[in-house]
Amino acid sequence: MDDELWALIEPLLPPWPERSPGPRPVSDRLCLQGIPFVLCNDVAWQLLPLERGFGSGHTCWRRLDRWQKAGAFDRLHRVMLAELNAAGELDWSRACVDGSHIRTKKGAPTPFRRRSTGGRQAVSTI
């Protein structure tokens, strides 16, 4: 990851908790490089090679979880889209709207009672 990209990403990540036990063993920058390595190479977290210098897979996974819960990736996505749009690098004619992540309204009242489509008990013949 080059310095320019890291300068854009670093302020979006939540600060390290002050009350965490012990020193931070692996930098956020290295963990952020380890996460795509695992995801792009289809490697299990526990099999992340330590010799790559990203830290353990468990460390990268915990950092990913913490950043996701803090909303860092949503902020990063918005910033990257704004940067790419400002540079004229986005082709909006190829954009697609996906409603699969939109919560639908459940249990909305209906204006009239609908006929049930559920099964009924059989009439007794006794």
Side-chain angles (χ1 to χ4, degrees), residues 31-80:
C31 278
L32 188 61
Q33 291 174 358
I35 292 166
F37 181 87
V38 168
L39 300 176
C40 293
N41 292 308
D42 198 25
V43 176
W45 289 104
Q46 59 267 39
L47 298 179
L48 179 65
L50 290 174
E51 55 271 8
R52 301 287 286 203
F54 302 137
S56 73
H58 193 67
T59 297
C60 290
W61 181 87
R62 277 195 321 263
R63 208 77 56 95
L64 171 65
D65 185 54
R66 193 171 130 253
W67 293 338
Q68 179 63 32
K69 287 177 181 171
F73 291 107
D74 291 334
R75 290 190 299 273
L76 175 61
H77 187 234
R78 284 194 287 283
V79 167
M80 295 298 285

Side-chain angles (χ1 to χ4, degrees), residues 99-120:
S100 65
H101 301 314
I102 308 278
R103 186 175 294 196
T104 59
K105 205 171 188 181
K106 295 180 181 171
T110 56
F112 54 89
R113 186 176 164 100
R114 296 181 189 258
R115 194 170 157 188
S116 174
T117 58
R120 297 184 194 165

